[in-house]
Amino acid sequence: MEAAVVLLPLLGAFIAGFFGRMIGDKASMVITCSFLVISALISWYLFFAVAIGGDPRTVVLFEWVTSGDLEFFWSLKVDTLTAVMLIVVTTVSAVVHIYSVGYMHHDDAIPRFFAYLSLFTFSMLMLVTADNLVQLFFGWEGVGLCSYLLIGFWYKRPSANAAAIKAFLVNRVGDVGFALGIFATFVLFGTVQLDAIFAAATGKADATLVFLGMEFHALTVTCLLLFIGAMGKSAQIGLHTWLPDAMEGPTPVSALIHAATMVTAGVFMVVRLSPLFEQSETALMVVTIVGASTAFMAATIGLTQYDIKRVIAYSTCSQLGYMFFAAGVSAYPAAIFHLMTHAFFKALLFLGSGSVIHAMSDEQDMRNMGGLAKLIPVTYGLMLLGSLALAGIGIPGTLVGFAGFQSKDVILESAFAASSGVGFYAFWLGIAAAFMTAFYSWRLLFMTFHGEPRCDEKTLAHVHESPPVMIWPLYLLALGALVAGAAGYYHFVGGGLTEFWGDSILILPEHNALAEAHNVPFWVKALPLVMAVLGIGLAYYMYVVNKDLPAEWAAQLRPLYLMSFNKWYFDEIYDRLFVRPSFYLGYGFWKSGDGAVIDGVGPDGVAATTVRASKRASALQSGYLYHYAFAMLIGVVVLVTFYFFMKD
């Protein structure tokens, strides 16, 4: 049963990928969707059996590698953490598959698309069920490969190819760190098995490691290297630039990448390796600072973007920052709680935006929308629900509220309860990000659905609600956005968290931020809601009441506006520091190295010299006897002269 969860998507990808043309589009869609639905149903069964029932298990499939002292199996580790990730990945993926039946019906490469989707899901399932670091890395790289294939799915678009390459390269930067972290772990522990590493982690708390010729705290170096991998996969500040460009892929791809698979891999990895991170205060501090900075940075960029999917993409980046600084203050259950609730309402927003794009004949610029609430009311209602969840609307001190309310608020409360410098840093940046999140999410709603239509009459005439195959998956996600927070609170972060999580997450007794989060002052609990309401109110005033105000503020605060609109100039800076120098260096090696040296002096040069010499030598071969006799006479004269000269 456990194997079926992982292998069914792989089987679907194999059938659709290799036999798609033979069996046809419809059969490819039915097979892949059916396998994902079955996988999701089994995942929910395992969730209740393992997480609720307290029955973790490890299933060994086969021996994978035996090399000297290194030996490990391909095994499926199914504990509470894995069970939660299984329902998130398979549920959202199944919904996305079904949604894609309607969204991609006009595409001419349907089997290839569904094969990529299923392979993506398989890779993520490999990652979350790994019981050793090599297996985890296998799934990690599989997700990276599939993201390249899916982002660049419409490969005839230059922008899609560029986005795919960018995602691939930026993630490889992070993956180098991740690989070095795995190497360091093996050097330190002599094994890649997670259970063996966790059992020995406490004993290695004071161990040192020589890195770059200097001696460092071993677990700090190891955790920071591993975290670099997480920064790339989960788009944290510095390695986040690929995520917005990933919008070039079809909308279902965007939803899958941003809600349930690729970007959550980094968060999962940090939480899975909590026994290592708990031994390094420095590593936890870095995770907190990076996460909080990302949450704030991405939120500021989301304020000024006009592409409907790009706004939601930066929202994803910001919410991932929340998850990381939750992990940084040792509130790992809160991080996974927000990961779970976020998957539902973020997938809802992405697929809802896909419904808008579908209705608007592929238009994505919100400046060309407006007035759609009456034309596509179902989509509007569902995106309104998702925006309420994203903004974190609820009643402080209770469980009454949308999914994002319970999960985001407990993260902010944990950061405050940490009572440390980095904790307060994360709390206040998180509060600022909460205000901006509410603003840009409702800015999206007001610009898209309210006011007068700003599109041309031809587009307006074709605006229509999406077909049922695209709408019904949204209802399921809306249900999750509505109840997931309240339903999971007790087990994930409430009174039942110790029994629920069991041994799947380690939190040292001195790291009690999550426990103390429930005892923070009421103003700490109420402040996120106040910020959210203020953000919504400001968005309403600027984009419904006084529509001239955004342009006025953009002119008055032009430097800040340009910094936000141009995404803090990260792309421009990286272009100057890395892309152009690399290009010029490569061009120099090509022209000077390959062209001048290798081609000019090397094999090609020798060959050319030989050809020239042979042509000149061949000129002496005239075929006339008197020419040869004359040459012989000259040779005899030279020889005799040389003889007498040397004799004297």
Side-chain angles (χ1 to χ4, degrees), residues 108-279:
D108 57 359
I110 289 176
R112 178 166 62 91
F113 178 79
F114 279 86
Y116 289 171
L117 276 188
S118 292
L119 189 61
F120 201 0
T121 307
F122 163 73
S123 299
M124 189 65 189
L125 294 172
M126 274 283 293
L127 192 156
V128 301
T129 57
D131 83 326
N132 62 78
L133 289 174
V134 178
Q135 187 178 333
L136 193 153
F137 189 74
F138 182 87
W140 191 273
E141 292 302 305
V143 168
L145 171 63
C146 293
S147 71
Y148 170 80
L149 297 173
L150 285 169
I151 295 170
F153 178 77
W154 288 322
Y155 58 87
K156 294 181 180 180
R157 299 181 182 178
S159 57
N161 290 325
I165 293 171
K166 187 177 183 179
F168 192 83
L169 291 178
V170 173
N171 273 277
R172 297 295 75 72
V173 174
D175 292 352
V176 170
F178 187 47
L180 291 174
I182 294 175
F183 300 156
T185 305
F186 181 70
V187 169
L188 195 59
F189 294 96
T191 181
V192 293
Q193 292 294 139
L194 293 180
D195 290 340
I197 293 170
F198 298 160
T202 304
K204 298 290 185 178
D206 298 322
T208 59
L209 191 69
V210 177
F211 183 67
L212 299 178
M214 296 177 285
E215 193 174 54
F216 295 95
H217 183 244
L219 286 178
T220 297
V221 172
T222 302
C223 290
L224 290 178
L225 288 171
L226 293 168
F227 181 60
I228 291 173
M231 288 177 63
K233 265 303 179 279
S234 295
Q236 295 300 283
I237 188 167
L239 296 178
H240 69 282
T241 54
W242 68 270
L243 191 62
D245 292 357
M247 299 299 96
E248 287 293 337
T251 293
V253 173
S254 305
L256 198 58
I257 289 177
H258 290 74
T261 54
M262 188 169 174
V263 296
T264 62
V267 179
F268 167 80
M269 186 266 287
V270 171
V271 176
R272 170 62 81 199
L273 300 180
S274 59
L276 297 184
F277 281 85
E278 284 292 282
Q279 305 298 331

Side-chain angles (χ1 to χ4, degrees), residues 359-361 368 375 453-463:
M360 291 290 295
S361 304
N368 299 326
L375 300 174
R454 295 181 295 276
C455 59
D456 58 80
E457 294 184 0
K458 183 179 179 181
T459 302
L460 189 64
H462 288 85
V463 174

Side-chain angles (χ1 to χ4, degrees), residues 167-517:
F168 192 83
L169 291 178
V170 173
N171 273 277
R172 297 295 75 72
V173 174
D175 292 352
V176 170
F178 187 47
L180 291 174
I182 294 175
F183 300 156
T185 305
F186 181 70
V187 169
L188 195 59
F189 294 96
T191 181
V192 293
Q193 292 294 139
L194 293 180
D195 290 340
I197 293 170
F198 298 160
T202 304
K204 298 290 185 178
D206 298 322
T208 59
L209 191 69
V210 177
F211 183 67
L212 299 178
M214 296 177 285
E215 193 174 54
F216 295 95
H217 183 244
L219 286 178
T220 297
V221 172
T222 302
C223 290
L224 290 178
L225 288 171
L226 293 168
F227 181 60
I228 291 173
M231 288 177 63
K233 265 303 179 279
S234 295
Q236 295 300 283
I237 188 167
L239 296 178
H240 69 282
T241 54
W242 68 270
L243 191 62
D245 292 357
M247 299 299 96
E248 287 293 337
T251 293
V253 173
S254 305
L256 198 58
I257 289 177
H258 290 74
T261 54
M262 188 169 174
V263 296
T264 62
V267 179
F268 167 80
M269 186 266 287
V270 171
V271 176
R272 170 62 81 199
L273 300 180
S274 59
L276 297 184
F277 281 85
E278 284 292 282
Q279 305 298 331
S280 174
E281 296 292 338
T282 302
L284 290 176
M285 182 177 65
V286 171
V287 173
T288 306
I289 293 172
V290 170
S293 302
T294 303
F296 179 82
M297 177 272 301
T300 62
I301 298 174
L303 297 173
T304 58
Q305 303 305 305
Y306 292 105
D307 187 303
I308 188 171
K309 290 203 298 178
R310 209 170 268 271
V311 174
I312 306 173
Y314 278 108
S315 171
T316 298
C317 195
S318 181
Q319 298 304 305
L320 287 165
Y322 278 97
M323 300 174 205
F324 273 111
F325 78 69
V329 298
S330 297
Y332 306 102
I336 297 298
F337 186 33
H338 194 51
L339 185 154
M340 185 266 294
T341 61
H342 172 265
F344 287 106
F345 63 74
K346 187 53 57 72
L348 174 62
L349 287 171
F350 264 115
L351 296 185
S353 69
S355 183
V356 172
I357 295 168
H358 178 81
M360 291 290 295
S361 304
D362 297 329
E363 178 61 67
Q364 296 184 194
D365 194 325
M366 296 187 297
R367 290 171 293 187
N368 299 326
M369 298 180 185
L372 299 182
K374 296 181 180 180
L375 300 174
I376 46 174
V378 176
T379 300
Y380 170 61
L382 292 168
M383 289 200 70
L384 176 64
L385 183 60
S387 298
L388 288 167
L390 176 60
I393 301 301
I395 302 175
T398 72
L399 294 181
V400 179
F402 298 90
F405 162 71
Q406 293 92 351
S407 58
K408 187 166 68 176
D409 280 24
V410 76
I411 289 176
L412 291 169
E413 292 159 13
S414 298
F416 184 88
S419 299
S420 62
V422 293
F424 290 130
Y425 174 82
F427 173 75
W428 288 112
L429 286 189
I431 289 294
F435 169 79
M436 291 184 284
T437 298
F439 176 84
Y440 65 64
S441 61
W442 286 76
R443 169 180 177 264
L444 183 152
L445 278 178
F446 294 137
M447 289 188 69
T448 303
F449 294 100
H450 292 260
E452 297 298 323
R454 295 181 295 276
C455 59
D456 58 80
E457 294 184 0
K458 183 179 179 181
T459 302
L460 189 64
H462 288 85
V463 174
H464 59 282
E465 196 67 81
S466 297
V469 72
M470 292 174 61
I471 291 296
W472 280 105
L474 299 186
Y475 285 126
L476 182 60
L477 294 172
L479 179 64
L482 188 62
V483 304
Y489 186 89
Y490 175 79
H491 290 292
F492 279 77
V493 295
L497 73 88
T498 303
E499 182 181 358
F500 179 76
W501 292 108
D503 297 330
S504 63
I505 294 176
L506 175 67
I507 303 176
L508 296 180
E510 57 266 31
H511 296 159
N512 60 351
L514 183 57
E516 293 298 322

Side-chain angles (χ1 to χ4, degrees), residues 560-588:
L560 292 176
Y561 173 80
L562 290 177
M563 187 174 180
S564 170
F565 186 73
N566 292 300
K567 300 160 288 188
W568 285 34
Y569 299 102
F570 271 102
D571 285 321
E572 289 79 2
I573 293 171
Y574 287 174
D575 185 65
R576 290 290 182 90
L577 291 180
F578 302 112
V579 178
R580 291 187 187 182
S582 298
F583 176 82
Y584 293 137
L585 183 64
Y587 188 84

